[in-house]
Amino acid sequence: MAKASKSNFVCANCGNVTTKWSGRCEACGEWNSIQEEAPLGTGPASKTIGAARGRRVTLSDLAAEEAPPPRTSSGIAEFDRVLGGGLVPASAILVGGDPGIGKSTLLLQAAAAFAAEGLKVVYISGEEASAQIRMRAQRLGLGAAPVMLGAETNLRDILTTLEAEKPDLAIIDSVQTMWADHVESAPGSVSQVRAAAHELTAFAKRRNTAVILVGHVTKEGQIAGPRVVEHMVDTVLYFEGERGHQFRILRAVKNRFGPADEIGVFEMTGGGLSEVPNPSALFLSERGQPAPGSVVFAGIEGTRPVLCEFQALVAPTPLAQPRRTTVGWDGGRLAMILAVLEARCGIPFAGLDVYLNVAGGMKISEPAADLAVAAALLSAREDAGLPPETVVFGEISLSGALRPVSQTENRLKEAQKLGFSAAIAPEGGKAVDPSGLKLNRMSDLAAFVGDVFGAG
Ligand SMILES: [Zn+2]
């Protein structure tokens, strides 16, 4: 007798699977995000496939010539860049982001752009009526674009429509509103979202249609987040930005057809999202006199250099447990840098609140920003600005040594292009042409502190 298979429990935030329910996900720490998921079909009765014969699979060698995938450019260069150079047929793309950040606006503009390039584009919305989408399109000046609209949430009806229309690109807004009638759970649950993503991805491969799925990042565990379908699609893009800022960043976190970590930068304007071809200039636009606590980091995002500004504030605190607040940078990495400053340079931050912010709503994850973070913290603590017109980059190891980072030359070139005259970077690595910059290379953090802040 086969035992009745037990159901699993899935985290709606991160997709972690457990065998028992709990109030908090052990994988991502989210509360009330665990949902029961019905077991999948139990499959054939025999326990193993054994020696039973299947079909033989055709094998080929590695040397076979493979043409690069044909791509269609939208003409929106920042969007094409993040896709790895344009839209690949039969690819499944997930575009995630907070509700209201502008995903629908971005994709409507992309839909119109691809339609203008001659692709047959279908836009299915489960969120809004066609009339609302039409109004938005008119507001964006896209009223005449040959995009076909549909308002539907029934997955079976949508697939029937797509099979009949055979579009080159189908945009599904959003995957959380889709409802598959063969799955017994509420729309938005992990099972429904996975079923919809699976069916639509399979459709993409079967009919050579590129499919873009919109996924809302949700804070409540009732609705499954886009992370539970990340592994099913070819490309995962996240649309980020702070609501108070007008710029938005489209970031590739996974891409089978191009480099991950590539970013596209857009600005939200009255007429929709417009491209920002030179993001460094935008992120540094508020820069005036070098203020204490403010440091310009020469970073690399994907394949291009981007300059951005770290801002730190250090203030005495009455709290026994001082505050450590970061926006746009990892909190654990901040703790490490504070520990290295204390242990290797003798500069304590105990009794001091520390706030660290990346200006303009950028998120930085490169370890190469360590030195810029340390510089911002020291500059804030000592109330002394860095030398003007200086960019900083370098990774800090636990020993306090500075490690060389990749693409030093590109970072320096970008800095020079934007009018910087000096750079502080780690020693070692490849010799580079400082291209007109005054390049100051240092071996460790203590040397940096002594050189720049005259202590040590
Ligand atoms: Zn989780």
Side-chain angles (χ1 to χ4, degrees), residues 11-16 25-30 33-34:
C11 171
N13 184 48
C14 69
N16 185 48
C25 172
E26 342 179 313
C28 69
E30 195 69 25
S33 64
I34 311 281

Side-chain angles (χ1 to χ4, degrees), residues 51-196:
R53 291 278 168 87
R55 250 182 325 124
R56 272 192 71 168
V57 176
T58 315
L59 305 172
S60 63
D61 54 42
L62 289 170
E65 278 289 315
E66 199 65 61
R71 291 176 186 270
T72 308
S73 301
S74 63
I76 305 174
E78 294 292 299
F79 191 73
D80 293 338
R81 166 201 298 281
V82 178
L83 289 175
L87 187 69
V88 176
S91 60
I93 299 158
L94 173 70
V95 177
D98 289 327
I101 199 84
K103 298 188 292 299
S104 300
T105 302
L106 174 73
L107 290 174
L108 198 56
Q109 287 181 268
F114 282 119
E117 296 293 320
L119 295 192
K120 185 172 179 182
V121 183
V122 171
Y123 191 108
I124 305 281
S125 177
E127 308 258 335
E128 297 172 302
S130 300
Q132 276 175 292
I133 304 168
R134 232 173 268 127
M135 263 163 58
R136 174 180 296 132
Q138 272 151 21
R139 207 170 56 233
L140 299 172
L142 305 170
V147 176
M148 290 181 286
L149 291 182
E152 183 52 64
T153 57
N154 185 317
L155 187 62
R156 195 180 293 273
D157 294 348
I158 290 167
L159 286 169
T160 305
T161 310
L162 295 180
E163 292 279 0
E165 292 288 343
K166 300 184 182 63
D168 299 305
L169 169 63
I171 297 174
I172 309 293
D173 185 5
S174 67
V175 68
Q176 284 120 334
T177 53
M178 294 298 122
W179 172 70
D181 53 21
H182 67 288
V183 177
E184 276 183 48
S185 62
S189 65
V190 173
S191 311
Q192 282 286 1
V193 168
R194 279 195 179 147

